[in-house]
Amino acid sequence: MGVSLEQRFQGCLCGLAVGDALGGRFEAQSAEHLRQRFSNVDSLINYVTDEIWYTDDTQMTIAIAEVLADHGEILEEPLCAAFVANYVPSRGYGRGARMVIEAMEDGEDHRAVARKHFPGGSYGNGAAMRVAPVGLIFQGNSEELLKQAEFSSLPTHVHPLGIEGAQLIAAAVAYVTKTTSFDRADFFSYLLSHCQSEDHRAKLAAAAKVELVEQLAKLGNGIEALESVPTAIASFALTPDSYTETIGNVILLGGDTDTLAAMAGAISGAYLGIEGIPARLLKHLEESAKGRSYIMDLAKRLFQRHQETSVSR
Ligand SMILES: [Mg+2]
């Protein structure tokens, strides 16, 4: 497969944005309702005939990618500043995230606000949904990848299960970015070797056993990292050669459709490259100030930063 590394960077960010934007149309709907509307993935994809707008998932991913492109690593202050600079509350932020980012904006102790809103820390998928750029930049260094994924989580997610969800998505992106011929067993054993908790290990082991689209639903479609990260990973592993099947199959599960499709789309795009995303879907991605062209350019900047740092290391 002749996909360049730069195309994979673009595929990852655009794959995430398109998945998020399409999934965002159906957030919180039930699988039954979606199955009545769309008999298959093709009918879901063909539904897109006008501009699709991304949600908080892409907006926060853009913030992380900007920090990595500028600094080559996650630094807390620039990251919080980027979350604030990119913040548009109407993009579907959860209530807790809104409170934390608004505390950052007002110069308050945002960690205290996060602790108050999520006692013990959030184990939601909010850190996993935005972590993909970390997987791109640190694809060659597992230890650094896990550390940087954690740093990117901490401003909003301190619960170990929330952090681990982010680490697993970053690891999945890193793995596929380096792969030309997908080996399902090797992919899952790589991810299992990055697990920290029994909870995630058990869920990933279940994901590794999913061999039919009909079995995806049992992995979950919720906002907890444990109920969505393994589902997104399993969907990619079922259909590694099809971007539309990978995002379509998780959207048709209903529930947290934007984040499921953002995570699955990021992994798929990092594997297939930008050419793997159908041009007609990409064409409909919003062309706002930080829309399609900006995201493509940001992916290029990220790629250049990766090239520079991997040469200097
Ligand atoms: Mg969202």
Side-chain angles (χ1 to χ4, degrees):
M1 199 167 58
V3 186
S4 74
L5 191 56
E6 186 171 2
Q7 288 172 320
R8 288 168 185 264
F9 274 58
Q10 292 176 324
C12 180
L13 295 196
C14 291
L16 185 148
V18 169
D20 174 29
L22 181 56
R25 291 262 179 115
F26 310 105
E27 192 175 1
Q29 295 189 14
S30 71
E32 293 70 31
H33 178 75
L34 287 169
R35 279 287 171 191
Q36 277 169 9
R37 270 185 87 179
F38 305 109
S39 57
N40 54 36
V41 166
D42 281 347
S43 60
L44 171 72
I45 300 296
N46 290 334
Y47 159 89
V48 181
T49 53
D50 56 358
E51 203 169 35
I52 47 174
W53 287 71
Y54 59 71
T55 78
D56 55 331
D57 305 49
T58 302
Q59 207 153 53
M60 294 189 93
T61 302
I62 288 173
I64 287 185
E66 288 171 344
V67 170
L68 289 174
D70 289 345
H71 303 279
E73 62 181 321
I74 298 292
L75 300 172
E76 185 173 4
E77 259 184 51
L79 181 60
C80 293
F83 284 154
V84 169
N86 282 286
Y87 179 55
V88 179
S90 60
R91 293 271 188 178
Y93 288 78
R95 185 165 164 265
R98 286 205 311 272
M99 287 167 63
V100 175
I101 297 174
E102 282 163 17
M104 291 173 185
E105 199 168 14
D106 299 338
E108 290 165 15
D109 182 354
H110 63 267
R111 290 199 178 199
V113 173
R115 272 197 304 274
K116 196 173 158 209
H117 192 79
F118 304 107
S122 170
Y123 46 84
N125 55 23
M129 74 184 190
R130 65 183 188 228
V131 79
V134 172
L136 293 176
I137 286 278
F138 297 100
Q139 57 182 276
N141 184 337
S142 275
E143 205 182 313
E144 199 58 28
L145 175 124
L146 294 177
K147 216 161 68 180
Q148 295 283 330
E150 179 173 2
F151 292 161
S152 75
S153 307
L154 289 177
T156 54
H157 290 69
V158 294
H159 193 288
L161 292 177
I163 294 169
E164 192 173 352
Q167 290 172 323
L168 291 172
I169 292 293
V173 167
Y175 179 95
V176 302
T177 303
K178 294 181 288 188
T179 302
T180 48
S181 170
F182 183 70
D183 179 332
R184 186 188 160 88
D186 191 59
F187 174 64
F188 278 108
S189 74
Y190 174 86
L191 292 179
L192 284 164
S193 77
H194 285 72
C195 275
Q196 327 270 333
S197 71
E198 265 320 302
D199 293 319
H200 271 290
R201 200 183 312 277
K203 211 62 201 280
L204 256 191
K209 291 197 187 109
V210 164
E211 285 173 352
L212 298 168
V213 171
E214 294 71 29
Q215 299 167 336
L216 273 179
K218 71 179 179 194
L219 295 174
N221 66 354
I223 60 168
E224 299 89 351
L226 265 182
E227 292 294 310
S228 50
V229 167
T231 317
I233 288 171
S235 183
F236 164 72
L238 269 182
T239 55
D241 296 321
S242 169
Y243 174 79
T244 53
E245 290 287 329
T246 297
I247 63 161
N249 285 330
V250 287
I251 291 172
L252 291 176
L253 296 176
D256 198 8
T257 47
D258 56 328
T259 298
L260 283 164
M263 297 188 294
I267 303 169
S268 179
Y271 179 58
L272 297 171
I274 188 74
E275 303 294 326
I277 303 169
R280 63 170 290 273
L281 271 185
L282 206 51
K283 189 183 78 183
H284 289 301
L285 181 62
E286 65 177 89
E287 194 47 310
S288 54
K290 287 197 177 179
R292 188 180 62 242
S293 300
Y294 180 84
I295 294 170
M296 289 285 277
D297 189 57
L298 183 57
K300 275 189 184 177
R301 282 171 55 205
L302 209 53
F303 170 72
Q304 281 156 5
R305 170 63 75 171
H306 173 264
Q307 296 304 91
E308 286 162 24
T309 46
S310 54
V311 168
S312 69
R313 262 176 202 147

